[in-house]
Amino acid sequence: MEEDRLGRRIRAFRKLKGYTQEQLAKDIGISVSVLGEVERGSRKPKIDLLHKIANQFSINVEELQ
């Protein structure tokens, strides 16, 4: 499933950049539960959320996929 891979990549970048779920969620304006669902692959993030995450990590959206 594509969402699983995407979620694992988001989690890996989050940890690499030193963010907790709480910090990242607050910085991009979503709840921790939504971020957790995205990381677990149970929620497919919309493109605007992917852009917020990528911008926070200073990467391109393509690097998350």
Side-chain angles (χ1 to χ4, degrees):
M1 220 170 145
E2 182 181 323
E3 289 83 19
D4 289 343
R5 182 175 185 272
L6 179 61
R8 286 193 307 268
R9 302 263 311 153
I10 291 170
R11 179 181 290 137
F13 272 108
R14 176 178 60 77
K15 290 183 176 185
L16 181 68
K17 299 289 184 170
Y19 284 94
T20 64
Q21 280 188 329
E22 292 81 7
Q23 290 170 320
L24 180 58
K26 181 180 177 186
D27 287 351
I28 62 175
I30 63 172
S31 69
V32 175
S33 61
V34 168
L35 180 57
E37 290 172 1
V38 169
E39 287 188 353
R40 287 189 301 277
S42 60
R43 178 184 289 241
K44 183 176 182 178
K46 294 183 180 179
I47 192 68
D48 63 320
L49 179 56
L50 289 178
H51 281 285
K52 287 180 183 180
I53 292 169
N55 287 338
Q56 196 66 34
F57 295 155
S58 299
I59 62 172
N60 296 319
V61 171
E62 292 78 23
E63 292 179 77
L64 292 173
Q65 299 173 342

